[in-house]
Amino acid sequence: MLEEVGTTTEGDLIINVGPQHPATHGVLHLVITLNGETIKKVEPHLGFIHRSIEKMCESLTYRQFIYVTSRMDYLSAHINNHACALCVEKGLQAEIPARAQVIRVLMDELTRIASHELWWGAMAMDLGAFTPFFHAFRERETINDIMEETCGARLTMNYMVPGGVMQDIHPNFQRRVKEFMQLYKRKIHEYDEMVTGNIIFQNRMKNVGYLSPEDAVSYGCSGPTARGSGVSCDIRKLYPYEVYSKLEFDEILETGGDSFARYMVRIREMQQSIRIIEQLIDNIPEGDFQAKTKAVLKLPKGEFYSRVETARGEFGVYIVSEGGTTPYRIKFRSPGFSNLSVLDHIARGSKLGDMVAMMGTLDLVIPDIDR
Amino acid sequence: MLNEELKAKITELLAAATFEEGGDPMATGWLNINVDAKDWLPLATQLRNDDTLFFNYLFCLTCIDWKTHLTMVYHLSSTRYRHNIVIKSKLDRNNPVIETVSHIWRTADFHEREVYEMFGVNFLNHPDLRLLILPDGWEGKNPMRKDFEDPVNMIKL
């Protein structure tokens, strides 16, 4: 039941944040019980952009359903598509050409940078700093342009298909990625100078929204949210897929557990993504970009699960197949859904103004939560 | 722990558990365990608290409507030993009831609420079993069940 603005019997104030609120970055409704300015309870109400994607997928074929998943976590569209493609390939037991694997990882990491860029800009804006938003979008725009050239779309790419990628990379791709890397390496220090080292920013982030490692695991947190508490959970390291096992990169762990630790994980992850891209960009193998698959895909009877690391955490695709051309049941384990559930836990006892910072560091994308 | 060791250990904990290689063992390689709904809570407590199992990470919780019955599916993992298992429990379709595990794995709170509204599964002793995603005052069938038909928004091929 939706509570209206009012007071409880103990004299606590109940306020609504959202569904339309700039700090929620989407249509999320939070009912907050306040004692003075201290939060006693946060109750999320979801479903404002629930499209029942899982039900939709039950009537879409294995080639079609991948397109819908771009619309979940639209900032990690490539990685969502990747998870679905991996899951279908598990069922088909298809071998993916080396070229396609490398292109996929390159796209994933570019997506991760773009997603963290947007998070960084939006997060700083949540705290009242407007300029970082423009800086972040300037770099993100370049990535979008690179994506557009190769995939034809800027946000919902639908580039990964079962068996590989939809089309070969654009002739300009390598040159433009390298140019971007040069630019980006010059700019990334500006981020630290502008925001990370800022004393006002640090005071608002440090010792706020503490999440212990045990709670992070118990609440099912993953990605930078859990790694900020020192929980090792990077799927790319633990259950490597594609060429990740051959690459050199570090899993970023911070032990602080507060908002600042989660912030630092993402900032440092961007640098690791650059490392990965640098290792691959000159080493894209020649060959096919797509394995030969049948026009109509049929998965054998059984269950298939694939997990990947999106910009927000562990994304899982669980397909139950009855042997037909459409999945019998499909479940998307979205990272945002679990990460949101921890908000009530970490926000209790802190000030209302700090909750916006906490939400920022959870990096919530609402379509990913609602599905 | 390897699947064989897990099998032996879980048989020790619950003799009634049956095992299956779910689907293609190459696809996931995870041990599938079928348990009765009434055995689930004691087993879940042991899976979480036993030092050699230590399944502390419930990364996926969902339900499947098989038209004759419902199946609850729990994907568990351990952040210490990195082993994974899948627990399945059959439920009666007309009166699906199972104990909640939200006090063992806190993430189950939200996931069980989702299954509750989408499949109509009743989780006993859940602290806050209300609609999460569906609009308030939702009446009618549970949308993720196979016999749910929406005359306006349904996708048909």
Side-chain angles (χ1 to χ4, degrees):
Chain A
M1 198 53 93
L2 300 186
E3 284 93 333
E4 306 226 327
V5 178
T7 49
T8 63
T9 45
E10 294 105 59
D12 296 332
L13 186 69
I14 295 173
I15 61 159
N16 292 282
V17 173
Q20 296 288 351
H21 191 276
T24 58
H25 302 291
V27 272
L28 174 69
H29 181 197
L30 299 171
V31 178
I32 304 174
T33 311
L34 284 174
N35 182 353
E37 215 184 325
T38 310
I39 295 171
K40 283 180 94 175
K41 194 172 151 197
V42 181
E43 217 180 299
H45 289 272
L46 312 179
F48 289 92
I49 33 177
H50 176 67
R51 295 143 292 175
S52 203
I53 284 181
E54 291 171 10
K55 184 90 177 174
M56 236 187 251
C57 290
E58 287 174 12
S59 47
L60 297 174
T61 67
Y62 290 114
R63 283 199 191 281
Q64 290 170 330
F65 90 94
I66 295 181
Y67 299 94
V68 189
T69 59
S70 300
R71 275 85 182 163
M72 289 198 293
D73 183 353
Y74 52 84
L75 297 177
S76 302
H78 263 311
I79 316 183
N80 285 3
N81 297 160
H82 194 166
C84 300
L86 277 178
C87 201
V88 174
E89 283 153 10
K90 268 184 184 174
L92 297 171
Q93 300 195 326
E95 279 287 315
I96 311 308
R99 184 177 178 82
Q101 293 197 15
V102 171
I103 295 175
R104 280 178 173 188
V105 171
L106 273 171
M107 288 300 185
D108 279 6
E109 294 309 318
L110 281 173
T111 308
R112 200 180 311 278
I113 294 178
S115 171
H116 285 352
E117 288 277 357
L118 191 143
W119 156 81
W120 179 77
M123 146 117 234
M125 202 161 71
D126 285 345
L127 296 176
F130 203 72
T131 318
F133 194 73
F134 295 109
H135 285 255
F137 266 62
R138 180 187 57 198
E139 271 84 69
R140 185 174 172 270
E141 200 61 22
T142 322
I143 297 182
N144 279 352
D145 287 344
I146 295 171
M147 298 278 187
E148 189 181 16
E149 219 170 38
T150 291
C151 320
R154 297 164 63 82
L155 208 60
T156 50
M157 288 84 165
N158 309 318
Y159 183 55
M160 317 243 178
V161 293
V165 291
M166 188 169 271
Q167 64 249 339
D168 209 351
I169 48 171
H170 193 273
N172 289 342
F173 179 78
Q174 276 162 299
R175 179 178 58 80
R176 290 194 64 176
V177 171
K178 275 187 256 182
E179 278 170 12
F180 168 71
M181 286 291 127
Q182 290 306 318
L183 171 90
Y184 193 67
K185 276 197 267 183
R186 284 204 312 275
K187 298 287 180 195
I188 198 159
H189 303 292
E190 287 182 9
Y191 295 1
D192 288 342
E193 286 162 23
M194 197 160 24
V195 175
T196 317
N198 186 312
I199 193 72
I200 303 170
F201 177 78
Q202 290 204 1
N203 284 344
R204 289 205 57 189
M205 299 291 274
K206 283 185 174 167
N207 302 319
V208 164
Y210 177 71
L211 176 64
S212 72
E214 293 77 23
D215 285 331
V217 175
S218 181
Y219 276 96
C221 295
S222 53
T225 307
R227 288 198 284 279
S229 300
V231 179
S232 164
C233 60
D234 195 332
I235 305 293
R236 294 175 294 171
K237 279 277 183 205
L238 299 173
Y239 308 99
Y241 48 99
E242 308 294 15
V243 290
Y244 278 117
S245 54
K246 296 175 200 151
L247 297 173
E248 276 181 29
F249 66 101
D250 298 327
E251 178 178 5
I252 305 296
L253 290 175
E254 292 274 340
T255 48
D258 53 2
S259 289
F260 192 69
R262 292 191 282 275
Y263 170 87
M264 281 313 288
V265 169
R266 289 197 182 85
I267 290 285
R268 290 171 61 198
E269 251 184 32
M270 288 199 256
Q271 284 154 352
Q272 294 303 318
S273 291
I274 297 174
R275 251 178 97 185
I276 295 175
I277 294 172
E278 280 185 333
Q279 287 171 52
L280 291 176
I281 192 67
D282 283 322
N283 300 314
I284 305 178
E286 294 297 320
D288 293 335
F289 56 87
Q290 204 183 91
K292 289 214 166 28
T293 47
K294 285 182 184 154
V296 178
L297 298 178
K298 272 188 184 173
L299 256 61
K301 195 173 187 307
E303 292 169 11
F304 310 96
Y305 197 102
S306 70
R307 11 178 17 183
V308 298
E309 182 78 19
T310 75
R312 261 144 283 275
E314 176 179 347
F315 180 74
V317 180
Y318 178 47
I319 294 179
V320 180
S321 167
E322 281 284 85
T325 54
T326 59
Y328 183 77
R329 164 95 173 99
I330 201 158
K331 159 82 184 169
F332 296 113
R333 186 262 187 235
S334 65
F337 189 71
S338 299
N339 287 353
L340 172 70
S341 71
V342 85
L343 179 64
D344 177 41
H345 176 72
I346 60 174
R348 280 188 192 199
S350 47
K351 300 276 183 281
L352 180 63
D354 289 335
M355 200 205 66
V356 176
M358 283 172 217
M359 277 177 63
T361 57
L362 293 180
D363 196 8
L364 304 173
V365 167
I366 312 304
D368 179 44
I369 297 167
D370 280 357
R371 283 160 289 145
Chain B
M1 243 191 255
L2 296 170
N3 277 357
E4 288 306 311
E5 293 168 312
L6 284 171
K7 217 173 190 172
K9 178 79 190 171
I10 289 164
T11 317
E12 206 176 285
L13 294 177
L14 181 70
T18 55
F19 302 89
E20 59 170 300
E21 297 297 334
D24 188 348
M26 288 300 290
T28 54
W30 298 336
L31 187 66
N32 279 243
I33 303 157
N34 295 315
V35 297
D36 256 11
K38 64 172 170 35
D39 295 332
W40 168 229
L41 184 62
L43 180 68
T45 316
Q46 281 169 313
L47 289 177
R48 170 66 183 81
N49 295 333
D50 191 298
D51 263 350
T52 56
L53 295 171
F54 202 68
F55 285 104
N56 56 347
Y57 181 36
L58 176 70
F59 62 92
C60 188
L61 186 162
T62 189
C63 186
I64 305 167
D65 181 8
W66 289 106
K67 291 179 188 151
T68 52
H69 60 272
L70 300 178
T71 305
M72 284 298 300
V73 186
Y74 301 84
H75 286 80
L76 291 168
S77 181
S78 166
T79 55
R80 192 190 289 166
Y81 302 113
R82 301 288 171 203
H83 47 217
N84 303 291
I85 51 167
V86 187
I87 309 272
K88 290 179 186 166
S89 187
K90 269 190 195 181
L91 303 179
D92 179 17
R93 198 164 184 275
N94 297 319
N95 181 28
V97 176
I98 194 164
E99 286 275 350
T100 178
V101 287
S102 54
H103 54 288
I104 304 174
W105 298 284
R106 304 292 293 273
T107 181
D109 185 349
F110 266 37
H111 280 94
E112 283 177 351
R113 276 174 75 181
E114 191 193 349
V115 171
Y116 160 72
E117 60 188 353
M118 294 295 171
F119 289 90
V121 176
N122 193 8
F123 291 93
L124 296 175
N125 303 323
H126 189 284
D128 189 22
L129 204 57
R130 290 176 300 137
L131 295 179
L132 178 68
I133 291 171
L134 292 178
D136 293 318
W138 174 268
E139 279 174 13
K141 284 183 177 162
N142 305 101
M144 285 301 286
R145 289 230 185 165
K146 285 285 175 184
D147 53 5
F148 177 84
E149 288 284 335
D150 184 336
V152 183
N153 301 314
M154 208 73 179
I155 293 183
K156 276 272 155 63
L157 283 180

